[in-house]
Amino acid sequence: MPSKRHITEFGMIAVIDRSVMMEPKALRDESISKEILDYASGCHLYLIGHRPLTVVDPESLSVDGKHMTARFISYEQSEDAIVECFWRQPGVVGGVKVLSDWTYNVLRVVDASGAQVARGNASLFLTYAMALAKTDAQRLPVDAQFLDLQVDYVGKAYGSDGERGAVARLQNHKTFQRILAELPRDAEAWVILLNSDTQTLLTSIMPWATAGDSADIADNEHIERALSGPLRDEMVVDFTEGRLIKYFQPRYNVQLKNSFPHPASKPLMELYSRDLNAVGFELDTRHLGLRIRSETVAPSFYHGATYPLHSTEERRSMFDFLDDIDLLRAGRGKQVEP
């Protein structure tokens, strides 16, 4: 007997359109701009990852007007990876100097009086230069793949009323501290704060019923449940975290790697009460200037996946269009050509 499928099926895609990357110590940096903190305060999800340590050739540093030039070096698989960049850096104006002291993995921009204008890891400056590129080919000159960030952990922070963001959560996070403690000396950790401010509703329709029959009436009731209003922010955070964990399979995550989604999960009860068919996510990191990967996922600027909320035995996928032909045949009682 074919598994159930509604005439109209719905899926929800969380578009992760708010993201900011920070080095771990910046989470406690009181000098960080209010603009960045305000933006980051709206992030309730976070990725913790690592990549090889990046250093800079101090002899290559120069400033030309509002632009900087630098030669960045990394050691990927025991081989030198080098990329030279020329880019426009915020805060850089005529008269400033760019300095880097041993071990040359941190850059400082100072003005004529010696006051610090900007500071950050060498890879942060390189990532910014990559983010300004217009094409993927420009983002990956020479061997700049050493900027790829491997996802080690996915987490969330929301609170009862959404008052808690990822920055506050990471201030005292045991797994975060463990990741930092176990980080190889030739690697550096990074945090990407995320949030889905936009959700896209997917719809598929297979009109095998006739107006007014039982299937049509049941479908109308199903549509009313599915479209009963926007999902709560907390719900979006919960199922987006689950999808990211299932997708990246981070080594430090234990829960949800193999159990998402599950109808008995309390955070997902609203999804099942609305009888949605599938959930998914989209994440684009081009504006961050780096690709993301994991132990099971290849590096890419774009990641996305959609997962059914039901087993194939109890519910057909809304994207299973070939099997829908069987439903049309059964519903109309006649031959339907594919």
Side-chain angles (χ1 to χ4, degrees), residues 156 235 238-239 242 256 259-272:
K156 67 178 180 180
M235 178 62 57
D238 282 334
F239 74 72
L256 304 179
S259 62
F260 179 89
H262 195 284
S265 172
K266 186 176 180 180
L268 301 183
M269 290 180 63
E270 183 175 338
L271 294 179
Y272 285 98

Side-chain angles (χ1 to χ4, degrees), residues 17-152:
D17 43 11
R18 179 187 293 258
S19 58
V20 59
M21 188 173 72
M22 304 177 72
E23 55 182 310
K25 62 182 177 182
L27 297 169
R28 297 179 179 271
D29 190 350
E30 296 181 357
S31 65
I32 193 168
S33 71
K34 183 178 183 301
E35 181 182 7
I36 294 178
L37 281 178
D38 289 344
Y39 183 81
S41 66
C43 296
H44 297 285
L45 295 159
Y46 52 89
L47 307 178
I48 301 172
H50 76 277
R51 60 188 179 191
L53 184 68
T54 299
V55 298
V56 67
D57 176 0
E59 300 298 324
S60 69
L61 296 174
S62 65
V63 176
D64 180 9
K66 297 181 179 181
H67 292 77
M68 285 179 56
T69 300
R71 181 181 302 111
F72 297 94
I73 305 171
S74 182
Y75 294 87
E76 177 70 17
Q77 299 179 350
S78 300
E79 295 181 5
D80 287 0
I82 303 174
V83 58
E84 296 189 30
C85 287
F86 175 77
W87 74 101
R88 182 168 179 169
Q89 179 68 34
V92 171
V93 295
V96 303
K97 294 182 179 180
V98 185
L99 307 174
S100 184
D101 301 321
W102 177 259
T103 56
Y104 307 125
N105 64 317
V106 174
L107 297 179
R108 293 186 301 112
V109 181
V110 298
D111 61 20
S113 67
Q116 183 169 288
V117 176
R119 179 196 176 281
N121 282 22
S123 60
L124 183 62
F125 283 85
L126 175 55
T127 300
Y128 186 80
M130 294 296 100
L132 295 177
K134 301 298 183 183
T135 66
D136 287 354
Q138 291 174 337
R139 290 185 183 92
L140 295 173
V142 197
D143 291 315
Q145 288 89 339
F146 56 69
L147 283 175
D148 294 345
L149 189 75
Q150 177 168 309
V151 177
D152 297 315

Side-chain angles (χ1 to χ4, degrees), residues 152-169:
D152 297 315
Y153 186 81
V154 174
K156 67 178 180 180
Y158 192 81
S160 58
D161 297 310
E163 74 285 354
R164 194 180 193 194
V167 174
R169 175 72 178 94

Side-chain angles (χ1 to χ4, degrees), residues 60-332:
S60 69
L61 296 174
S62 65
V63 176
D64 180 9
K66 297 181 179 181
H67 292 77
M68 285 179 56
T69 300
R71 181 181 302 111
F72 297 94
I73 305 171
S74 182
Y75 294 87
E76 177 70 17
Q77 299 179 350
S78 300
E79 295 181 5
D80 287 0
I82 303 174
V83 58
E84 296 189 30
C85 287
F86 175 77
W87 74 101
R88 182 168 179 169
Q89 179 68 34
V92 171
V93 295
V96 303
K97 294 182 179 180
V98 185
L99 307 174
S100 184
D101 301 321
W102 177 259
T103 56
Y104 307 125
N105 64 317
V106 174
L107 297 179
R108 293 186 301 112
V109 181
V110 298
D111 61 20
S113 67
Q116 183 169 288
V117 176
R119 179 196 176 281
N121 282 22
S123 60
L124 183 62
F125 283 85
L126 175 55
T127 300
Y128 186 80
M130 294 296 100
L132 295 177
K134 301 298 183 183
T135 66
D136 287 354
Q138 291 174 337
R139 290 185 183 92
L140 295 173
V142 197
D143 291 315
Q145 288 89 339
F146 56 69
L147 283 175
D148 294 345
L149 189 75
Q150 177 168 309
V151 177
D152 297 315
Y153 186 81
V154 174
K156 67 178 180 180
Y158 192 81
S160 58
D161 297 310
E163 74 285 354
R164 194 180 193 194
V167 174
R169 175 72 178 94
L170 289 167
Q171 298 294 332
N172 297 288
H173 193 292
K174 291 183 179 179
T175 303
F176 187 26
Q177 298 306 317
R178 177 188 170 193
I179 293 173
L180 295 178
E182 296 179 356
L183 193 69
R185 295 186 62 181
D186 60 351
E188 56 186 33
W190 288 92
V191 177
I192 300 181
L193 310 178
L194 307 167
N195 205 69
S196 172
D197 295 332
T198 304
Q199 292 82 51
T200 300
L201 186 68
L202 304 179
T203 307
S204 69
I205 303 176
M206 206 64 183
W208 50 265
T210 58
D213 67 14
S214 59
D216 181 55
I217 294 173
D219 193 59
N220 287 335
E221 295 173 348
H222 162 68
I223 292 174
E224 289 181 3
R225 289 197 304 273
L227 302 181
S228 58
L231 292 172
R232 293 179 292 111
D233 289 342
E234 182 180 9
M235 178 62 57
V236 175
V237 170
D238 282 334
F239 74 72
T240 305
E241 179 201 30
R243 284 171 295 180
L244 289 169
I245 292 174
K246 186 178 182 70
Y247 178 81
F248 286 112
Q249 294 286 299
R251 62 175 300 195
Y252 285 92
N253 284 97
V254 177
Q255 299 179 344
L256 304 179
K257 291 172 75 170
N258 301 307
S259 62
F260 179 89
H262 195 284
S265 172
K266 186 176 180 180
L268 301 183
M269 290 180 63
E270 183 175 338
L271 294 179
Y272 285 98
S273 68
R274 297 192 183 205
D275 208 13
L276 296 181
N277 187 286
V279 290
F281 78 92
E282 292 181 359
L283 172 61
D284 192 328
T285 58
R286 285 174 175 83
H287 67 288
L288 295 178
L290 80 164
R291 303 186 302 181
I292 295 180
R293 64 183 175 90
S294 71
E295 294 177 345
T296 59
V297 177
S300 177
F301 288 112
Y302 174 83
H303 295 276
T306 303
Y307 301 104
L309 285 171
H310 310 274
S311 67
T312 54
E313 291 76 21
E314 64 181 12
R315 186 77 160 271
R316 288 180 187 263
S317 168
M318 64 184 294
F319 304 112
D320 197 351
F321 299 113
L322 291 178
D323 283 347
D324 282 340
I325 299 299
D326 296 333
L327 286 174
L328 277 169
R329 289 169 175 165
R332 293 181 176 177

